[in-house]
Structure formats: structure tokens, C-alpha cells
Amino acid sequence: MGKEKTLIAGILCIDIILLTIVVLGSYLVVDFFFPIKTNHITSVSSMLVTYIISFLASYSIFPSLAHERISKTEEMAKRVLITCSLTLLFITLITTLVHTYESFPRTFYLLTIGIYSILLFLERLTLRRYLMKARAHKKNQKKIIFIGNEPIILSLYKKLSRPSYGYDVVGCFYDGNCDDSGYESVKIGGTTDIYGWLAGHTEVNEIYGYFPKEQQDLIKMVSKFCDNHLIRFYYVPAIDVFKSSMDFHFIENIPVLARREEPLLNPINKAAKRMFDILFSGAVLVTIFPLVFIFVSIMIKLKSPGPIFFKQDRTGLDGKVFKCIKFRSMKVNKDADTVQATKNDPRKFPFGDFMRKTNIDELPQFINVFIGDMSIVGPRPHMLRHTEEYSKLINRFMVRHLAKPGITGLAQVSGFRGETRYIDQMEGRVKKDIEYIENWTFLLDLKIIIKTVTNMFGKEKGNAY
């Protein structure tokens, strides 16, 4: 544990050194090119101390994940973003409450924290890669043992046996036979042998195991031994009820297994996504939208009599109905709420056809995003009739309504865009929508947005008619 603490302290020192370089470097650049921006900063050292204290405060709440043996890149990016956002908040508070000079320039705040966020993330990736290589060469390792031979234990063994994770598998204990030759080769004894073996091998750091119900007394003995010898004991429940991703959490002290993991149930994730939606949609509505609206309004009025906007009831979050707003791309017709657009649909007028192919007709949905009915990224909302029909035909169809509908989504950038003539096309869309709900990250949203834009200007047209 001493080495682990040293590693964490070393990472923190690197973070502070990097922050110092960014702040002082930014100050020198700004002072050289825009001296008027730094005239009111009376003490550079005081400014630097403010940044460091603010970072330490935010770091204490959201520490680094670089030293973790198993961590996703998306999770590291989210942690860096939250840490730097909190740092900016603390800097603002300290400046307001403590310093005698008026304030640091807002541009200077954003410049330093923006640069630092990028460099800190790159530092985290570099450190993790270095540590994975070091662990692959048997450095910074933890000694672990496994108990049991259930499929979930074997799966865990295969994952933790990867050299880059830095686990030294000392051995395993199980009763009966095992089909996995690798696991069988490290067998030490049966489950009843574990307690006696541990007495002479207290160098073990962690134990991962499953005990059948009739061995509850043995679990208590092993757990008590681990508590008295600084060994972490992890009980692995041998259950795979849903045969897919699951979410384990507690309601007070009662363990509960959820059907699936939903990252957007996390309040921080939810707030971050909503904030991004407001900023992104707001920016579009005050810049691009007014110009497009003027042009499109004129063209619609010239080409087809009727309203500029087309508003349709669609199924949203938790199955609630909302008005989805689009530029009208068809002649006014009685089938608008029941029949999908097709390739040579006679209801479309020429400019409307152009809008649909270029996605211009979707632009007013940024209004839906801004007011909270939709998100930039999420499962596409369907007409109420289609929701009713497909929910009876496709298994798990309604799961896609556990997230806010989006202007674009994972299904749309994966080839399931536009008209769905066949049931397997809708099944593919639903599968991708559920994959998005279970694996949401902020980076995934950004990837989908970028892919959507490149598809708009590329050759990929999909089935959008």
C-alpha cells in the first residue's frame, strides 16, 4: 500500500508541475501580446497559489484515475473535465473573496483551464500507458487468488490475468473439475483448503471468490482472516440472470441488481448532458437558425402553400408525448401522422425533398432540445402509431424510451437512418439505441455528432427520404 500511496503522490506532483507551467506560460504569453489584460494582477505568485489551492481542492473531490488498473478512457476524460471545472469554480470563489485586485480576465481563466484540461487528459493517458507497460514487466503488481470455478469466476480470471493490469495470480481454489486449462494449471486445492493455506501466505493482496450457500461459515472465516491481515476480499455473486450488462447498487444497505447499466441516471452525467444540450442548441438558435429560417420560410411559401413548421406528436422520454418541430417538407396531407416518407413520395415538393436529404428540415428540433423535450444525441423519436405497432412486434422496443430522443443517434450513424421498410431494420435500430443507453459517455456523444456532420457532407445518405 505504501507504493500505491507514493504513486498517487507522484501523479499529483506531476499534475501541479503541469499546472504551474500552463499558468505561468499563459501569463507570459498574454502579458507579452496583451499587457493591458494583466495590468491589474499585482502578484503572479499569488495568482499561481490560487490556481494550485483550487486544483488541490477539486482533486480531493475527484482524484486521478491514472493509477487505477482498470479504467475506461471515457471515465478518465469525464474525471478530468469535472476536476478542471471545479478548479475554475474554486479559482473564481477565491479571487472574489480573498484577492484585493478586481479579478483575473475571464479569457485568462478560460485559456489556462482549457489548455490545462487538454494537457491533463493527455498526461493521464501517458501515465496509464506507462504504468500498464511497467505492470506487464511485473512491476507495481498485486498478488491475488481466486476461489471457485463458476463461469463468472473464470471470466474474471481471464480479464485480470492480462499482464498490463498488473495482477499476479498466485493460484486458485475450487472443487471438482474445470474445463479451462489455464485456470486448472494454477489450482492449489479445494475450497476447504483456502483457510489453512492463507495462514502461511499473508503476502496476498486481494481475493476474488464465490462460495456456494452451504459454505457460508467458510466465507465468514475467510472474510475475518482478510480483515485481520490487510487482505481485500471480494465476493463474486455467481449470477448472470440477464445475460448482458447489469448495474449493481445499494438501496440503503440492501444490494440490488438492475436490469442494465444506465449512465444517464447518474445526476452528474445527466447534468453534463443537459448543460451541453442547452449550450449547443442555444448557439445554433442564435447563429445558424435565424439565417436558415429566413431562406427556408421564403422557399416553402413559394413552393407549397401552408405553414412553415410541421409539428407532430412523437414518443419521448419515459413514453411521454411531445410536439416534434420540423420545417415542413411535404404538401399538407392527411397521412402525415401515419405514413413514413418514401424515396419517391409524391407528397414531397422539390425543395422539401432537398431539405430532407440535407437534414435542413430537422433544424427546428434544436428548439425541442433547448426547451428539454429532446437531446442533441439520443434515440430518434417515432410517430405514435409506429411506437404502438413496433412495441408489439419487436422485443425491448420500449427500452429506447429510457433516454431522451435525439436529433441524431448511434443508430443513425450506424446505418439505420430514415425509412424502415423491414422489421429487421427496426430491430437493428433498437439494438443500437439500447447500446447507446447502456454505454453512454460524453465522448460517445461527441463522436456521434462528428460522424453525423461528416455523413451530411459525405456520400453516406442512408434511407432518409
Side-chain angles (χ1 to χ4, degrees):
M1 293 303 295
K3 291 182 178 179
E4 195 78 7
K5 289 182 179 179
T6 301
L7 176 61
I8 295 172
I11 293 173
L12 180 57
C13 288
I14 294 173
D15 293 344
I16 293 174
I17 291 171
L18 181 64
L19 178 62
T20 302
I21 293 172
V22 169
V23 173
L24 294 182
S26 299
Y27 176 82
L28 291 174
V29 170
V30 173
D31 189 54
F32 181 80
F33 289 102
F34 309 100
I36 192 172
K37 296 287 187 181
T38 58
N39 285 343
H40 59 285
I41 300 178
T42 57
S43 172
V44 178
S45 59
S46 177
M47 175 187 69
L48 181 59
V49 169
T50 300
Y51 271 80
I52 293 175
I53 292 175
S54 299
F55 176 75
L56 290 174
S58 61
Y59 184 94
S60 66
I61 302 173
F62 292 98
S64 169
L65 290 175
H67 67 286
E68 297 287 347
R69 294 170 191 274
I70 303 175
S71 60
K72 295 181 179 179
T73 302
E74 290 85 356
E75 187 64 29
M76 292 177 65
K78 184 176 72 173
R79 183 65 63 90
V80 166
L81 183 63
I82 294 173
T83 300
C84 290
S85 297
L86 274 179
T87 300
L88 182 60
L89 176 62
F90 285 130
I91 291 172
T92 305
L93 290 174
I94 294 174
T95 302
T96 304
L97 298 174
V98 177
H99 292 293
T100 55
Y101 44 83
E102 294 179 5
S103 66
F104 299 149
R106 283 174 294 179
T107 51
F108 188 80
Y109 277 137
L110 297 175
L111 175 68
T112 51
I113 296 301
I115 294 174
Y116 186 62
S117 298
I118 296 170
L119 294 181
L120 185 62
F121 177 61
L122 294 176
E123 176 219 296
R124 295 280 192 264
L125 291 179
T126 303
L127 286 172
R128 186 179 66 167
R129 181 169 294 184
Y130 168 78
L131 289 172
M132 290 178 73
K133 286 184 178 180
R135 287 162 180 161
H137 289 86
K138 301 187 181 302
K139 295 179 181 179
N140 188 237
Q141 287 196 317
K142 284 186 176 181
K143 295 182 180 296
I144 63 173
I145 60 173
F146 293 91
I147 302 171
N149 63 342
E150 280 66 24
I152 197 165
I153 292 290
L154 295 177
S155 178
L156 185 62
Y157 162 74
K158 290 176 182 178
K159 291 180 184 296
L160 298 187
S161 294
R162 296 171 186 170
S164 58
Y165 286 157
Y167 289 104
D168 178 15
V169 180
V170 178
C172 62
F173 296 82
Y174 61 88
D175 300 320
N177 300 317
C178 179
D179 296 331
D180 190 300
S181 57
Y183 193 67
E184 187 179 30
S185 67
V186 295
K187 181 178 181 180
I188 297 173
T191 53
T192 55
D193 300 322
I194 177 67
Y195 191 80
W197 183 88
L198 279 174
H201 297 82
T202 55
E203 75 278 4
V204 172
N205 301 116
E206 298 175 358
I207 297 175
Y208 295 85
Y210 165 78
F211 293 88
K213 193 173 183 179
E214 59 270 17
Q215 292 184 332
Q216 296 299 306
D217 291 339
L218 184 56
I219 293 179
K220 295 176 182 178
M221 290 173 61
V222 173
S223 178
K224 184 177 179 180
F225 181 91
C226 290
D227 288 344
N228 291 326
H229 293 84
L230 291 178
I231 300 173
R232 284 189 165 87
F233 176 64
Y234 299 97
Y235 179 80
V236 183
I239 52 176
D240 191 9
V241 179
F242 303 123
K243 304 294 182 183
S244 64
S245 63
M246 295 175 283
D247 185 30
F248 183 82
H249 59 276
F250 285 87
I251 298 177
E252 291 191 356
N253 64 337
I254 301 174
V256 178
L257 195 64
R259 171 66 181 84
R260 61 178 44 81
E261 186 176 0
E262 294 182 57
L264 285 174
L265 286 180
N266 183 307
I268 295 176
N269 292 343
K270 196 181 212 177
K273 185 172 175 65
R274 180 60 186 144
M275 183 61 67
F276 177 77
D277 283 342
I278 292 172
L279 294 176
F280 194 106
S281 61
V284 171
L285 291 174
V286 300
T287 55
I288 300 172
F289 184 77
L291 298 176
V292 175
F293 173 77
I294 294 172
F295 174 72
V296 168
S297 299
I298 294 172
M299 294 301 295
I300 290 176
K301 288 298 183 181
L302 289 175
K303 299 294 182 179
S304 173
I308 295 170
F309 292 114
F310 172 67
K311 299 178 183 179
Q312 185 179 63
D313 285 344
R314 300 219 175 173
T315 312
L317 179 64
D318 295 328
K320 295 177 181 177
V321 178
F322 74 99
K323 291 286 185 182
C324 183
I325 310 170
K326 301 176 69 174
F327 284 129
R328 184 172 59 85
S329 58
M330 290 184 173
K331 302 167 187 175
V332 177
N333 66 93
K334 62 181 180 180
D335 298 322
D337 293 327
T338 57
V339 181
Q340 272 187 315
T342 56
K343 188 172 184 179
N344 297 308
D345 201 316
R347 296 175 297 168
K348 292 184 291 184
F349 54 89
F351 183 70
D353 191 35
F354 167 77
M355 284 196 295
R356 297 182 76 94
K357 289 180 178 178
T358 57
N359 293 319
I360 292 176
D361 65 318
E362 310 280 2
L363 199 61
Q365 288 173 33
F366 282 101
I367 299 173
N368 288 119
V369 174
F370 192 79
I371 63 179
D373 290 330
M374 293 178 64
S375 179
I376 301 296
V377 181
R380 285 293 296 158
H382 286 168
M383 292 185 290
L384 301 188
R385 179 176 174 178
H386 284 171
T387 298
E388 183 181 356
E389 291 176 353
Y390 286 124
S391 63
K392 297 175 182 177
L393 296 173
I394 299 175
N395 184 36
R396 302 194 300 165
F397 178 84
M398 293 304 292
V399 173
R400 62 197 305 277
H401 301 111
L402 292 177
K404 273 187 186 180
I407 294 178
T408 185
L410 182 60
Q412 281 61 49
V413 299
S414 301
F416 298 99
R417 174 173 171 249
E419 183 188 13
T420 49
R421 295 188 220 176
Y422 309 108
I423 197 71
D424 63 321
Q425 291 176 311
M426 184 57 75
E427 287 175 341
R429 176 183 288 186
V430 170
K431 184 178 179 181
K432 284 296 179 181
D433 287 337
I434 295 175
E435 180 183 333
Y436 171 80
I437 290 170
E438 294 180 346
N439 298 279
W440 178 89
T441 65
F442 188 70
L443 284 182
L444 178 59
D445 273 3
L446 293 181
K447 289 177 183 177
I448 292 172
I449 291 170
I450 293 171
K451 185 71 181 294
T452 301
V453 174
T454 56
N455 285 350
M456 284 174 60
F457 294 100
K459 295 180 179 180
E460 195 276 322
K461 298 298 180 186
N463 296 315
Y465 305 130

